[in-house]
Amino acid sequence: MSQLILVLGGARSGKSSFAEEIVTKLGGKDVTYIATSESRDQEMVDRIEKHRKSRPQEWTTIEEVKSIAQVLDRMNKGSVVLLDCLTLLISNLLLQGEDLAEDEYDFNVQGREERIIQEIEEIIAKVEEKDLILVIVSNELGQGLVPNYKLGRVYRDIVGRANQLLANSADEVYITYASLPIEIKELGEKVRKEFKE
């Protein structure tokens, strides 16, 4: 039986650690970890290496920065998969082929946003089609300062839209604060139902 779980949180909120706890409980040592980060500088190289060392060696790691639905299509039915993280995937897709300074902004954002949302929809469809258990880690970006440049605001908005799309399709949604996870899907649906009555 397929299952989609979304784990949200801010930077260093404990969301990745909690997501790893979920997949360990559901899959034990038989977990596929999809990493979306690219090693563009030494800091990212160090972060990636630290993450690699912290994961169980028995887990299968796939490094894929753009085509997650295609990776999921190759999974065995019933696989337990952790995607960490959605916000890096969105960044990779948004800036694909670009080498921009922060003040440059001349590429077709609308077309890229549509492609990003299409990728999210394909990921959701693959969970059902392949009967997967997929845990997705994503940042909650909308609670911080409004970025002072246009590309940052566009990115924040696309991530928010993608998070909403996933949350609406997910079986469970958690948000982490200071390493404490709170399940919010059931509560949110209850509140929404009360307001519709």
Side-chain angles (χ1 to χ4, degrees):
M1 183 172 151
S2 66
Q3 191 174 12
L4 177 60
I5 300 172
L6 177 62
V7 180
L8 299 165
R12 292 288 180 259
S13 64
K15 59 190 180 298
S16 291
S17 296
F18 178 62
E20 290 178 9
E21 289 177 25
I22 294 171
V23 294
T24 298
K25 181 178 179 181
L26 297 173
K29 296 179 179 180
D30 190 13
V31 171
T32 300
Y33 183 102
I34 303 175
T36 60
S37 58
E38 292 184 283
S39 52
R40 296 184 179 191
D41 56 36
Q42 190 58 47
E43 180 196 1
M44 284 305 293
V45 169
D46 294 342
R47 282 176 181 249
I48 290 168
E49 188 58 30
K50 184 178 177 184
H51 274 275
R52 280 185 187 139
K53 288 180 178 177
S54 71
R55 292 192 295 269
Q57 291 182 347
E58 298 84 2
W59 288 6
T60 301
T61 298
I62 298 173
E63 296 180 355
E64 175 54 56
V65 298
K66 296 182 183 89
S67 303
I68 303 305
Q70 288 181 14
V71 171
L72 295 178
D73 191 48
R74 297 192 302 265
M75 295 283 138
N76 294 327
K77 284 192 178 282
S79 294
V80 177
V81 183
L82 173 56
L83 170 61
D84 195 357
C85 79
L86 183 76
T87 37
L88 281 172
L89 170 65
I90 291 171
S91 176
N92 297 339
L93 291 170
L94 182 62
L95 298 178
Q96 186 172 359
E98 301 295 335
D99 185 19
L100 302 175
E102 287 184 358
D103 59 344
E104 294 178 337
Y105 190 75
D106 59 358
F107 59 93
N108 179 1
V109 171
Q110 183 176 357
R112 291 182 189 221
E113 180 174 0
E114 290 169 3
R115 175 63 193 107
I116 290 166
I117 297 304
Q118 180 184 356
E119 178 71 19
I120 303 302
E121 290 171 342
E122 289 174 5
I123 289 169
I124 293 168
K126 288 298 173 193
V127 171
E128 288 286 329
E129 179 186 323
K130 303 292 286 189
D131 199 25
L132 302 174
I133 297 173
L134 176 63
V135 179
I136 299 177
V137 176
S138 185
N139 287 69
E140 179 53 71
L141 300 180
Q143 295 178 334
L145 296 173
V146 176
N148 64 358
Y149 54 97
K150 188 174 181 181
L151 183 56
R153 292 188 296 274
V154 167
Y155 173 66
R156 176 204 59 188
D157 291 349
I158 294 172
V159 170
R161 185 176 170 203
N163 285 343
Q164 286 187 50
L165 185 60
L166 284 165
N168 284 330
S169 298
D171 300 288
E172 299 172 24
V173 180
Y174 297 88
I175 191 154
T176 54
Y177 292 105
S179 80
L180 299 173
I182 303 165
E183 209 291 327
I184 60 173
K185 173 92 180 200
E186 187 177 327
L187 178 61
E189 288 182 341
K190 179 182 175 188
V191 171
R192 187 178 286 161
K193 183 179 177 185
E194 288 173 359
F195 274 91
K196 288 182 178 178
E197 290 176 348

